[in-house]
Amino acid sequence: MSKKIRFQFDNMTFELPSTALQTKKWDNNKPFINMGAKNTASVIKQYVKLKYGSSLVVWSTSDVYSGGSSVRVNVSTSLGGPVSTNIYNDIQGFAYNFKAGRFDGMIDCYEYREDKMTSDGGTELDYFPSYIFVENKPKWDSVEYWVNEWNTFDPTNYTRPMVGTTLWEQFMNFNKSYWKKGTLEKLTQVMISNHPNSTSTPTIYYTTN
């Protein structure tokens, strides 16, 4: 089992791999917590789960590339809808604590922050990602994404002819080419669990076409 470190920030306790705790050899071996993109993504996800529990769904991914790094966070309700503006602003505000700086389009230059951040216990936090994006919608191709697509599906909005008799058939035939293996089963199960007595619960169509 990999070892973990725990630290407090904003009066909440977070966990990261033990490798996140490092020392600055050029600064008298001063300890610091490396908040690179992967660790930052983990901390933001932990924040959402600690503060909002199972009422929200959160996804966080990180990317490192030449000259920088980024974190992308998606949040939604359990049925794929947007969270309230207050909750979204709170999550975004927390996430932005860990931005390395900002890009100034006026001078076409990335400006790095000059302030120092520490944990509640005084350990420095450093090496933040260049960019952090927080989106108030489910991650593409998640079950929550497709539940939300179903809840907002209106075939009259499309010029492409819809194939199928029922609304569910039209929705499935319109989108099934995008689904991964198992998506249909998971999507149907979510709908049944949330509408157990509804006559509008979609019929399960298992098809390989």
Side-chain angles (χ1 to χ4, degrees), residues 173-188:
N173 288 324
F174 188 74
N175 292 294
K176 65 183 180 181
S177 62
Y178 302 108
W179 292 345
K180 296 179 295 187
K181 183 178 180 180
T183 294
L184 176 60
E185 291 86 345
K186 292 178 182 178
L187 176 59
T188 305

Side-chain angles (χ1 to χ4, degrees), residues 1-6 14-21 39:
M1 182 179 293
S2 61
K3 295 182 178 179
K4 301 283 188 179
I5 61 165
R6 291 184 175 87
F14 300 96
E15 281 190 350
L16 286 175
S18 59
T19 53
L21 183 60
N39 288 341

